[in-house]
Amino acid sequence: MSEFEFSAVPRVTVLQHSSDVPVDRWRSALGDTRVVRLFAGEPVPTLAECGDGLVVLGGQMNAYADDEAPWLPGVRSLLAEAVAADLPTLGVCLGAQLLAVAGGGTVTVAAPPGREAGVVPVYWRTEALADPVVAPLARAAGAEDTEDLDGRGAATSFVQMHADAVIEPPQDAQWLAWSEMYPYQAFRWGSALGVQFHPEAGPTTAVRWALAHVDVETAAVHAQMVEHDVELARSGAMLAEAFLGQVAAGVGRGADARADDAGDDVGHEDERAVETPTDAEAA
């Protein structure tokens, strides 16, 4: 490989907050990944260590629980840095809430509507059709233009399991999706997408979460997961694939920029070689 050829293999860093909130269905869907187990004491990576993309998973703590999870301030700072650096980023559930807070938004702990659990329809807004990650999902739900998104025109079912909620996203964020219980199911803040739902969760994980909450009917969640399993797997895979597409596009732009920089350096060296006199000419 010549010095002006660059690798375009996406490398994604995944931050895991709780042992029972794993990558799950996305274990292979995200390609070349590095999972950082924050709950086990592994340090929050620097921006330079994140590679070509960043995924922040959910967790059992809330977005402000710095005493319980002392790594959270570092994660919030990393999310802000990732957006500033235009790094493709995806926040899931707690990850989306941390993203909102990192951008100056607000999360309500134990929000009054109560826990949103099980398989829930998520309705796409007009802005979703222009988003690099959720647009394929909105179109797969039947949305081809803005008229298809009036009212409850296009929805995709996802796994939900949260009692905290984003009530104010970052000021310049695009609002992408909503549900009957909570408005901010998906939003984009620059290079980062936040989703309140769990596109990565499979049946075993979802039922395990239900068992941990007395305000959730586990049998109902199990039945929903069985009924919608194929649809959930397909939608989760579609979102992961679209996110990897955003990551790959970023890798390509980065490689092109590095190639341009390298080409510029070579050009400058050539010019200097022409303009600089030899010892004989100087004499």
Side-chain angles (χ1 to χ4, degrees):
M1 185 171 71
S2 77
E3 61 180 314
F4 304 124
E5 293 175 343
F6 301 94
S7 172
V9 178
R11 296 170 295 115
V12 176
T13 292
V14 179
L15 304 188
Q16 184 177 355
H17 296 282
S18 300
S19 60
D20 61 344
V21 189
V23 179
D24 207 4
R25 289 193 200 263
W26 282 359
R27 190 169 303 278
S28 60
L30 291 176
D32 183 11
T33 59
R34 168 199 176 199
V35 178
V36 179
R37 295 168 176 80
L38 301 172
F39 65 91
E42 296 180 5
V44 177
T46 65
L47 182 65
E49 294 170 334
C50 288
D52 305 305
L54 174 65
V55 175
V56 182
L57 297 175
Q60 297 299 343
M61 65 291 296
N62 69 65
Y64 303 107
D66 297 355
D67 290 341
E68 178 184 351
W71 60 83
L72 290 184
V75 174
R76 293 193 296 267
S77 295
L78 177 61
L79 285 166
E81 292 175 15
V83 172
D86 201 29
L87 181 72
T89 299
L90 175 61
V92 177
C93 197
L94 172 63
Q97 295 166 11
L98 290 167
L99 179 65
V101 175
T106 307
V107 171
T108 294
V109 177
R115 185 176 301 280
E116 189 172 39
V119 178
V120 176
V122 170
Y123 299 95
W124 302 109
R125 302 183 76 244
T126 298
E127 291 80 358
L129 286 174
D131 188 82
V133 176
V134 303
L137 290 159
R139 293 193 180 96
E144 294 296 336
D145 53 42
T146 57
E147 293 183 359
D148 295 328
L149 293 169
D150 291 340
R152 293 170 175 77
T156 305
S157 294
F158 288 107
V159 177
Q160 304 272 6
M161 191 62 67
H162 69 105
D164 305 341
V166 174
I167 61 168
E168 183 181 355
Q171 185 174 4
D172 54 350
Q174 290 81 48
W175 180 18
L176 304 175
W178 56 280
S179 73
E180 296 286 356
M181 285 189 70
Y182 289 103
Y184 296 108
Q185 287 292 334
F187 64 90
R188 174 164 295 282
W189 178 38
S191 62
L193 171 68
V195 297
Q196 182 60 74
F197 48 83
H198 283 277
E200 85 291 0
T204 300
T205 296
V207 170
R208 186 183 300 121
W209 292 340
L211 286 168
H213 299 290
V214 296
D215 56 348
V216 176
E217 188 178 344
T218 302
V221 171
H222 177 263
Q224 292 169 359
M225 294 300 299
V226 171
E227 179 182 356
H228 297 280
D229 185 50
V230 173
E231 175 189 357
L232 295 170
R234 182 172 57 247
S235 298
M238 188 179 300
L239 194 150
E241 181 180 3
F243 175 68
L244 279 184
Q246 182 192 11
V247 172
V251 171
R253 287 194 300 271
D256 290 343
R258 292 192 297 272
D260 289 342
D261 290 343
D264 290 343
D265 290 342
V266 171
H268 294 322
E269 290 172 1
D270 290 345
E271 291 170 5
R272 288 193 296 271
V274 171
E275 295 173 357
T276 302
T278 63
D279 290 343
E281 290 170 338

